[in-house]
DNA sequence: CGGCGTTTTGAGAGAGCTCAACATCGGTGG
DNA sequence: CCACCGATGTTGAGCTCTCTCAAAACGCCG
């Protein structure tokens, strides 16, 4: 979702690039909110760590996406951002972005719309997390993430990563995928999954 | 959370009130998005219905809160809004609100901040839903919703409603509360719950 | 080749869901 | 005033499903 186009040139020029190795943190919960982050290359996940030390994946952002929008209005970050792969991130300083919103009404409005879309996305994720059955949850994900043809899903990373994003253990995900394939619901082909019985 | 103060007078005067009986729908998924809704009296829950016909509670809004903010930027609603109690709702027509944002920068900015807060709230809910253990989930809720003294939680509605909001069956919630009380963790008193072993 | 992370399969246990029965409370109407 | 009724609250028993711990095959890279 390339949703950075609305950033005025003044903000763009104030940006700072940062490279991250896989596993490295872009920021941690409690860090002072520096600004808006755009993923240039690689993937970065937003997570919270629960009391038992497990990661809860809130979002996985790829190239073109921005993260930490909500932090523009907060003093500190309220979750961790960890690079899932080697990554490059462009950070637009908070002050510059907010100043741009003062000047450029269109930018402010586009940003608001982005937030609104994010709210909907988060609601979809709540819906997903409410599904107890691993099978249904995986199906839900596959249908939601089917490509243009509505029948092919390209996995962005490892199955283990996907398990985290789905809120399942990796074992449960492997078993579920195997069961779906045995049942003739899907066909796996490397990093791609084809939905066989799903009408477009 | 009284977060409507930023609405300009012009928008306020365009508002339409609507009364709902408990169980009645304010809007359904797919309905054309009419506008921003402020709860005047009672409680309204935002839900999605899963394939099995079960309700998934996305949010429960009380007096002073607004709902359907994200729908200002969408053609149709993407969840159902159902009155949990008899309720009165004030609807601010979409066009009027958007026009106000064009004119009044402060209003637009306050609205954006509201959305940002909502994003954080939704993330907290994802975190909650990720807790498998009923006991931990209930604890999480109680601590988060403790009143000013940090030790008393006033239940807004029935336990059955709460179970839905927590994503538990009502039986599981009853059992968990009973177990917590047996363990001396809480003390129930009608619609109030006191946290006994929680340091403030 | 050796090592490390991912993928896969196995077995066991715990926890919430489901179905079921019953108690309790509030309102309604005879 | 009391019987009735529906919704909420409560407890019991069994079952299913995922988690957890374990172990092994596989793939990639130095």
């Amino acid at each position: 979702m390339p949703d950075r186009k609305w950033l005025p040139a003044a903000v763009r020029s104030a940006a700072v690039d940062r490279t991250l190795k896989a596993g490295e943190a872009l920021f941690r919960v409690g860090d002072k909110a520096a600004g808006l982050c755009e993923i240039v290359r690689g993937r970065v996940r937003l997570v919270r760590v629960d009391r038992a030390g497990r990661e809860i994946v809130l979002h996985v952002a790829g190239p073109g996406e921005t993260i930490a929008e909500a932090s523009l209005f907060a003093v500190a970050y309220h979750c961790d951002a960890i690079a899932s792969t080697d990554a490059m991130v462009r950070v637009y300083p908070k002050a510059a972005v907010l100043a741009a919103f003062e000047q450029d009404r269109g930018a402010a409005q586009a940003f608001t719309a982005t937030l609104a879309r994010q709210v909907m996305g988060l609601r979809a994720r709540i819906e997903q997390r409410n599904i107890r059955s691993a099978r249904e949850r995986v199906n839900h994900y596959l249908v939601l993430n089917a490509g243009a043809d509505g029948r092919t899903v390209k996995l962005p990373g490892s199955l283990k990563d996907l398990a985290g994003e789905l809120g399942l253990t990796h074992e449960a995900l492997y078993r579920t995928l195997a069961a779906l394939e045995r049942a003739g619901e899907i066909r796996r082909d490397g990093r791609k999954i084809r939905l066989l019985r799903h009408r477009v």
Side-chain angles (χ1 to χ4, degrees), chain A:
Chain A
M1 199 201 293
D3 47 9
R4 72 204 178 283
K5 303 203 183 84
W6 39 268
L7 280 174
V11 180
R12 293 238 185 96
S13 62
V16 179
D17 281 1
R18 187 166 160 201
T19 59
L20 299 164
K21 294 211 170 299
E24 195 179 347
L26 173 60
F27 53 77
R28 294 280 186 182
V29 61
D31 285 359
K32 191 161 163 295
L36 197 60
C37 304
E38 175 197 342
I39 316 297
V40 177
R41 212 175 47 228
R43 281 178 303 112
V44 174
R45 64 181 187 272
L46 295 177
V47 302
R48 290 204 186 182
V49 179
D50 69 12
R51 222 191 297 188
R54 277 184 302 250
E55 271 192 5
I56 301 167
V57 180
L58 298 172
H59 185 64
V60 179
E65 282 183 271
T66 55
I67 57 177
E69 294 90 346
S71 296
L72 283 180
F73 296 90
V75 180
Y77 294 112
H78 55 286
C79 56
D80 296 350
I82 316 282
S84 288
T85 66
D86 290 353
M88 174 147 88
V89 178
R90 190 157 293 157
V91 182
Y92 301 99
K94 190 166 162 173
V97 177
L98 290 175
F101 289 167
E102 290 290 331
Q103 314 265 315
D104 184 340
R105 183 163 300 165
Q109 205 164 70
F111 176 75
T112 303
T114 299
L115 274 182
R117 243 179 288 125
Q118 226 175 83
V119 166
M120 300 190 227
L122 284 169
R123 286 188 174 152
R125 184 167 289 259
I126 290 178
E127 184 176 16
Q128 181 215 72
R129 282 302 221 279
N130 216 71
I131 301 172
R132 302 264 170 181
S133 151
R135 186 161 186 158
E136 289 302 308
R137 200 183 283 195
V138 171
N139 250 322
H140 186 262
Y141 172 86
L142 292 176
V143 173
L144 241 58
N145 290 276
D149 64 357
R151 279 181 291 116
T152 309
V153 181
K154 193 171 175 311
L155 300 180
S158 72
L159 287 178
K160 212 174 170 183
D161 287 346
L162 178 59
E165 193 179 338
L166 290 176
L168 294 171
T169 59
H170 58 277
E171 296 100 318
L173 176 59
Y174 295 137
R175 279 190 251 267
T176 303
L177 287 176
L180 285 173
E181 191 158 26
R182 269 199 307 275
E185 305 260 335
I186 65 171
R187 177 81 164 277
R188 294 183 56 188
D189 179 24
R191 302 232 80 69
K192 283 184 190 161
I193 295 180
R194 284 216 313 272
L195 303 173
L196 298 180
R197 298 198 182 157
H198 185 254
R199 65 198 75 184
V200 184

